[in-house]
Amino acid sequence: MTANLEWRRVSPQNEDLHQLIDKLDLYLQSVYPPEEIFVLDFSDPHIEETLFLMAYLGEQPVACGAYKPLGEEMAELKRIFVDPEFRNRGLASKLIAELERLALEQQIRIMRLETGEGQPEAVRLYEKLGYAHIPRYGEYRCCDSSICMEKVLTE
């Protein structure tokens, strides 16, 4: 079923991207209180620096993710989401691997991320993919449910 999977880099204004992120936000609202949901600010003047990636099966958008530069050689995974209809097919792992590959092309060597206690399946996936737990950083520092992780990328 994922044999005809296509990756597309998209702009922050892409309609398919926003539809999937809306689904993600609805899910997060069912898991966390509003003050523990960290959204991506699409009105940020630096949003164009964030690389957005979509997975399509035919013309059907099935997954999205992004990475945002955090400085020299470091970035943060953002908005990783697979449409529930297409889960349990390895798409999240493939999406993250593709984002890591693109990051390496940009000389990014360290990938960070934030997830939460309410998403144990995400934590397990990131651990399986080689992400290690680190102290909470940045805007997540004061959020008790935040789990921060990091991976050194290799080619």
Side-chain angles (χ1 to χ4, degrees):
M1 181 68 164
T2 60
N4 59 347
L5 186 67
E6 180 188 347
W7 300 111
R8 296 182 197 169
R9 288 178 64 169
V10 298
S11 78
Q13 296 80 30
N14 181 280
E15 188 176 314
D16 292 338
L17 174 70
H18 283 273
Q19 288 176 0
L20 284 181
I21 288 177
D22 288 347
K23 285 184 179 183
L24 170 59
D25 289 344
L26 276 174
Y27 167 71
L28 293 174
Q29 290 167 16
S30 73
V31 177
Y32 301 104
E35 66 274 9
E36 293 183 9
I37 299 173
F38 298 92
V39 298
L40 193 57
D41 181 3
F42 284 96
S43 66
D44 183 327
H46 300 287
I47 193 69
E48 296 292 336
E49 296 170 11
T50 300
L51 182 142
F52 293 93
L53 187 66
M54 298 279 301
Y56 286 84
L57 286 172
E59 288 304 309
Q60 173 77 39
V62 297
C64 67
Y67 69 78
K68 176 183 175 181
L70 292 180
E72 196 172 318
E73 296 191 354
M74 186 180 293
E76 179 181 17
L77 284 179
K78 304 293 284 182
R79 313 320 279 166
I80 303 297
F81 181 72
V82 176
D83 190 300
E85 188 179 328
F86 296 93
R87 290 190 181 157
N88 300 312
R89 301 178 192 190
L91 288 174
S93 296
K94 290 175 183 171
L95 172 65
I96 293 165
E98 186 64 12
L99 285 165
E100 291 173 352
R101 186 189 71 73
L102 292 169
L104 276 168
E105 287 180 359
Q106 301 300 312
Q107 281 66 57
I108 292 169
R109 300 288 176 233
I110 298 171
M111 189 68 80
R112 286 188 164 179
L113 63 89
E114 183 270 346
T115 188
E117 293 174 353
Q119 297 170 275
E121 67 288 343
V123 174
R124 285 192 301 275
L125 173 65
Y126 293 128
E127 288 171 343
K128 179 180 133 191
L129 296 176
Y131 285 81
H133 292 257
I134 60 171
R136 291 189 302 266
Y137 62 93
E139 65 184 321
Y140 317 115
R141 206 170 268 128
C142 296
C143 182
D144 290 339
S145 70
S146 285
I147 296 172
C148 293
M149 304 174 88
E150 179 177 283
K151 179 179 180 180
V152 176
L153 303 180
T154 57
E155 296 186 39

